[in-house]
Amino acid sequence: MSNDANVADATKKLAATSLSSKAKAFKPTFNANAPAFVPRPVVAAAPAPVPAPAPAPASADAPPSAAPKPMTISIGGSTPAAPQPPKPEPTQGEAPASTTAPAPAPAPVPSSAPAPADEPADDTAQEPADEELVAEEEMLLDEHFKEHLNIIFIGHVDAGKSTLGGNILFLTGMVDKRTMEKYEREAKEAGRESWYLSWALDTNQEERAKGKTVECGRAFFESTKRRYTILDAPGHKNYVPSMISGAGQADVGVLVISARKGEFETGFDRGGQTREHAVLAKTSGVRRLIVAINKMDDITVEWSKARYDEIKTKLTPFLKTAGYNPKTDLVFLPISGYTGAGVKDRVGSACPWYTGMSLLETLDDLQALDRKINGPVRIPIAEKYSDMGTVISGKIESGHIKVNQKVFVMPGKIPCEIGAIYADNEAEEQSAVSGDNVRIRLRGIKDDMVQSGFVLSDTRYPSRCTRAFTAQLVILDAPNIITAGYKAVLHVHMAVEEVVVTTLLHKLNKQNQKSRMPPPFVKKNERCIVRIEAKKPVCVERFKDFMQLGRFTLRDEGKTIAIGKVEKLIDTSAVAN
């Protein structure tokens, strides 16, 4: 045993002496004409039975410029030979080469050769520099120097939403006097003389004959500070889905309230659309709400401060429970949509007790919104039609687009190209940014391959699609208890899909704490975590990633049952993207 130990010690000393002498004689040489060095992909090898001593002295004696980063260099004073094929890496379980004989250096890879597949690509090649992003954002802001704001008029039927919108178009010069006189003459002949202002937004014969908005109307006007898109939502309960699609494109809501005796009570009491519209607007992402108390010039009101205070007192607590902060998110003002008092100009002597701003002044005074101009492109498709190609319309929720840009239509990952961009004023633009409501002509795709609810996204970061996700729900109005297997209609951005609540995972208490056991059922005014499955793939995102694509509404039998937000996507890999 002692003889074996002595032999082992002598062997170790000899190896150390050999390596030390070679390290001292180390003189690195480089061939200036050799191609650039590209490291090979690292292949995991089995650990050596006996660890080889690290050649630390070699790196210490080398000049700083000799080794800018770790690499393999042949030991010796001769010039490297001509490039040779790299020596294969040891496979799993194979011992490395002996340390007594240095391994030859890996052959340099020509600079024109592509990088190995396993090597991570350079970050600078994938992501533009911060300075480039800032410069691009400043250029886009210069091109679109006026902020675009999307406004939706909501409220109970006959509150005066379309009349108010039509008068705004007239007062801002978007509808000339001659056209408005034509509307007035035609409305008088039809026995609807007081409806002529609403005809600027209610353009089809059905809406003009019934005096009710059926589809979400759209119009455009501009002030000295901002560009605005008006979205006129229908107030009847049968057309709530159209209201939801309009609210999904809006930034600011104008809740129109009729001050006429009996009309406010009808809209605000149970079954009226004032409550439901306010909740759905908040769920759809409307951040600020202007409460326009309309018809203050009516004979039953006559600009009464008592009536104004009564409506404000009843509405404020409810809107607070809906999620609006009365101090920062709500503005109350008295107007007359028919006469125009308080719309563009202040009410003046007609209402001496109110000295605040008019409606248009209030809109211009709103704080600028934070837009994701350089984020991934997300455009939920609101409408599509065929006009010398496939044309879609929708609001840009994130990112920016340009003519000739390549994009995907999701789900399906259908490639196409942007052929033209049209603003609300029908002008053709070269680019559009987050917040703009635009029409886009697509190339390379047929109109039957696109549907409302699909999402236009960029090719690098396409929108995610799934058939199942977990979400947090707030039960608003359930006729009975809700159990696993409950079927409803999902409204998320512009998409409408039939879904099933397959599993109740947790119930949440007031402190947002989850129950340990899955609840057997949930009922009105309770919160819970559930799993939801759709029949078809739907484009959704987690709420914390994209709020507009992560909040949704569940409806059943013409009623809003619950509102929720997406927390986790489950089977995205199973969906063909």
Side-chain angles (χ1 to χ4, degrees):
M1 294 295 294
S2 60
N3 292 336
D4 294 341
N6 293 335
V7 172
D9 292 341
T11 303
K12 291 180 180 179
K13 290 180 180 179
L14 179 61
T17 303
S18 175
L19 181 60
S20 176
S21 61
K22 291 183 179 181
K24 290 179 180 179
F26 169 70
K27 293 182 180 180
T29 59
F30 297 91
N31 184 2
N33 297 322
F37 176 79
V38 178
R40 292 176 300 172
V42 179
V43 179
V50 179
S59 60
D61 294 342
S65 61
K69 57 181 180 179
M71 61 176 67
T72 305
I73 302 177
S74 60
I75 298 178
S78 61
T79 303
Q84 297 178 358
K87 186 176 181 180
E89 296 288 340
T91 57
Q92 195 70 260
E94 182 181 344
S98 173
T99 57
T100 58
V109 181
S111 57
S112 60
D118 295 338
E119 182 182 357
D122 188 8
D123 291 341
T124 58
Q126 287 188 357
E127 298 292 340
D130 292 342
E131 293 80 2
E132 295 179 1
L133 288 174
V134 172
E136 185 177 20
E137 185 169 346
E138 289 179 354
M139 180 189 68
L140 290 169
L141 290 175
D142 288 340
E143 293 178 2
H144 306 269
F145 64 95
K146 277 190 177 181
E147 184 186 14
H148 192 160
L149 215 60
N150 299 277
I151 313 164
I152 185 166
F153 290 163
I154 58 176
H156 191 65
V157 63
D158 290 335
K161 300 182 295 297
S162 298
T163 298
L164 173 60
N167 209 349
I168 288 176
L169 296 179
F170 175 66
L171 294 174
T172 55
M174 301 306 297
V175 177
D176 56 34
K177 185 177 180 180
R178 188 173 184 177
T179 303
M180 198 58 74
E181 287 176 349
K182 174 177 174 289
Y183 289 157
E184 185 176 8
R185 185 170 58 254
E186 292 175 353
K188 188 175 183 178
E189 292 174 357
R192 304 287 190 267
E193 185 176 357
S194 62
W195 294 359
Y196 76 96
L197 287 170
S198 66
W199 285 17
L201 285 170
D202 294 340
T203 55
N204 64 52
Q205 295 301 321
E206 180 186 0
E207 292 178 329
R208 291 184 176 184
K210 295 182 178 180
K212 295 178 181 178
T213 303
V214 176
E215 298 178 349
C216 193
R218 180 177 301 182
F220 168 82
F221 74 95
E222 192 170 357
S223 70
T224 56
K225 187 176 180 180
R226 284 191 171 109
R227 297 177 294 125
Y228 296 96
T229 296
I230 294 178
L231 301 165
D232 181 29
H236 199 277
K237 63 180 181 180
N238 291 343
Y239 308 120
V240 170
S242 296
M243 178 268 164
I244 295 175
S245 67
Q249 305 173 60
D251 302 308
V252 177
V254 177
L255 179 59
V256 183
I257 303 294
S258 174
R260 182 178 291 167
K261 293 289 185 182
E263 288 190 358
F264 164 69
E265 289 75 12
T266 302
F268 187 66
D269 290 345
R270 186 174 180 83
Q273 294 306 299
T274 300
R275 291 174 177 266
E276 187 174 16
H277 277 205
V279 172
L280 291 174
K282 183 64 176 179
T283 306
S284 301
V286 174
R287 308 172 189 179
R288 297 286 302 275
L289 199 63
I290 299 174
V291 183
I293 301 180
N294 192 24
K295 302 185 182 181
M296 289 292 292
D297 62 325
D298 189 78
I299 193 173
T300 63
V301 182
E302 295 183 346
W303 299 96
S304 169
K305 186 177 186 300
R307 180 62 170 170
Y308 175 85
D309 290 339
E310 176 190 358
I311 295 173
K312 183 177 179 180
T313 303
K314 290 182 178 180
L315 277 176
T316 302
F318 168 74
L319 295 176
K320 185 177 180 180
T321 59
Y324 293 100
N325 187 330
K327 294 183 179 180
T328 59
D329 300 338
L330 297 178
V331 178
F332 288 83
L333 48 87
I335 64 168
S336 171
Y338 187 76
T339 65
V343 178
K344 183 179 180 181
D345 300 322
R346 302 190 180 189
V347 290
S349 58
C351 184
W353 48 267
Y354 180 79
T355 57
M357 294 184 291
S358 66
L359 176 59
L360 296 187
E361 288 175 336
T362 302
L363 290 172
D364 279 344
D365 193 57
L366 291 176
Q367 186 177 0
L369 301 178
D370 183 21
R371 305 290 195 187
K372 296 181 179 179
I373 295 179
N374 278 318
V377 174
R378 295 290 186 272
I379 309 176
I381 298 175
E383 298 174 347
K384 66 101 179 183
Y385 56 91
S386 181
D387 181 13
M388 297 179 63
T390 302
V391 180
I392 65 169
S393 66
K395 176 189 172 186
I396 306 176
E397 297 292 352
S398 172
H400 62 273
I401 57 174
K402 298 179 180 179
V403 176
N404 299 326
Q405 180 178 343
K406 296 185 183 300
V407 291
F408 282 151
V409 174
M410 304 292 291
K413 209 171 185 178
I414 308 171
C416 56
E417 190 175 271
I418 295 176
I421 303 172
Y422 302 96
D424 274 341
N425 58 358
E426 303 301 326
E428 188 169 347
E429 305 286 350
Q430 291 299 311
S431 63
V433 298
S434 175
D436 288 347
N437 212 312
V438 294
R439 291 187 299 115
I440 304 170
R441 189 184 304 278
L442 299 177
R443 291 196 293 255
I445 189 171
K446 297 180 180 179
D447 63 318
D448 58 357
M449 303 171 70
V450 183
Q451 297 180 14
S452 297
F454 284 11
V455 175
L456 199 70
S457 60
D458 57 32
T459 55
R460 296 181 63 190
Y461 305 102
S463 176
R464 303 177 70 183
C465 305
T466 183
R467 289 189 181 92
F469 57 89
T470 60
Q472 183 180 145
L473 281 186
V474 179
I475 311 301
L476 298 179
D477 186 13
N480 299 302
I481 61 174
I482 294 178
T483 60
Y486 178 76
K487 297 181 179 179
V489 178
L490 172 76
H491 293 260
V492 54
H493 52 86
M494 301 295 110
V496 181
E497 293 290 342
E498 295 181 0
V499 296
V500 179
V501 179
T502 57
T503 310
L504 303 179
L505 300 175
H506 305 281
K507 186 183 288 188
L508 300 176
N509 59 18
K510 294 182 179 180
Q511 288 74 34
N512 213 33
Q513 296 173 337
K514 298 179 181 179
S515 62
R516 294 185 179 180
M517 300 295 294
F521 63 88
V522 289
K523 57 183 185 298
K524 184 178 178 180
N525 297 328
E526 289 186 343
R527 295 186 304 144
C528 56
I529 305 292
V530 301
R531 175 181 170 130
I532 296 176
E533 294 186 6
K535 294 182 178 180
K536 299 179 181 179
V538 59
C539 294
V540 293
E541 304 275 0
R542 293 186 303 174
F543 179 79
K544 65 180 182 180
D545 297 333
F546 287 94
M547 290 189 294
Q548 285 300 114
L549 276 70
R551 50 164 65 98
F552 62 90
T553 304
L554 292 182
R555 288 178 55 81
D556 186 25
E557 297 179 353
K559 295 181 180 180
T560 301
I561 303 300
I563 58 176
K565 57 183 181 181
V566 179
E567 292 193 341
K568 181 181 178 182
L569 306 181
I570 295 176
D571 65 340
T572 54
S573 60
V575 179
N577 288 338

